[in-house]
């Protein structure tokens, strides 16, 4: 889901839910719900440093592949 991917990228950037909500024109509670949905879909915790690092790397690789 494109909205979840955009939310994931913002969460991984280290912004607060309030800052992400402002950027995406959403309430910060909506961001929290999206985070929970992402965690449920991927069966992971975004609070884990190693998981976050792996996801950042995966998203960067995805962008590189899309450019080629």
């Amino acid at each position: 889901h494109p909205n979840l991917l955009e939310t994931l990228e913002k969460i991984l950037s280290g912004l607060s839910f309030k800052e992400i909500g402002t950027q995406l024109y959403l309430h910060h509670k909506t961001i929290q719900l999206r985070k929970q949905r992402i965690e449920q879909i991927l069966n992971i915790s975004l609070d884990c440093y190693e998981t976050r690092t792996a996801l950042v790397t995966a998203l960067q690789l995805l962008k590189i592949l899309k450019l080629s």
Side-chain angles (χ1 to χ4, degrees):
H1 196 277
N3 293 334
L4 292 179
L5 186 58
E6 182 178 19
T7 302
L8 175 60
E9 288 176 337
K10 298 283 186 186
I11 290 170
L12 294 174
S13 73
L15 297 173
S16 71
F17 290 155
K18 190 168 185 167
E19 291 170 317
I20 296 169
T22 299
Q23 288 183 9
L24 298 178
Y25 304 102
L26 297 169
H27 193 273
H28 66 275
K29 294 282 187 180
T30 303
I31 303 304
Q32 176 65 35
L33 292 173
R34 285 186 179 185
K35 177 184 179 264
Q36 291 171 353
R37 181 67 179 137
I38 291 165
E39 290 175 326
Q40 182 182 39
I41 290 169
L42 298 177
N43 195 29
I44 52 124
S45 170
L46 290 174
D47 298 325
C48 174
Y49 174 78
E50 291 83 9
T51 300
R52 292 172 70 95
T53 303
L55 287 171
V56 167
T57 302
L59 289 173
Q60 288 174 343
L61 289 171
L62 180 62
K63 287 179 183 181
I64 290 169
L65 292 173
K66 283 185 176 182
L67 293 175
S68 49

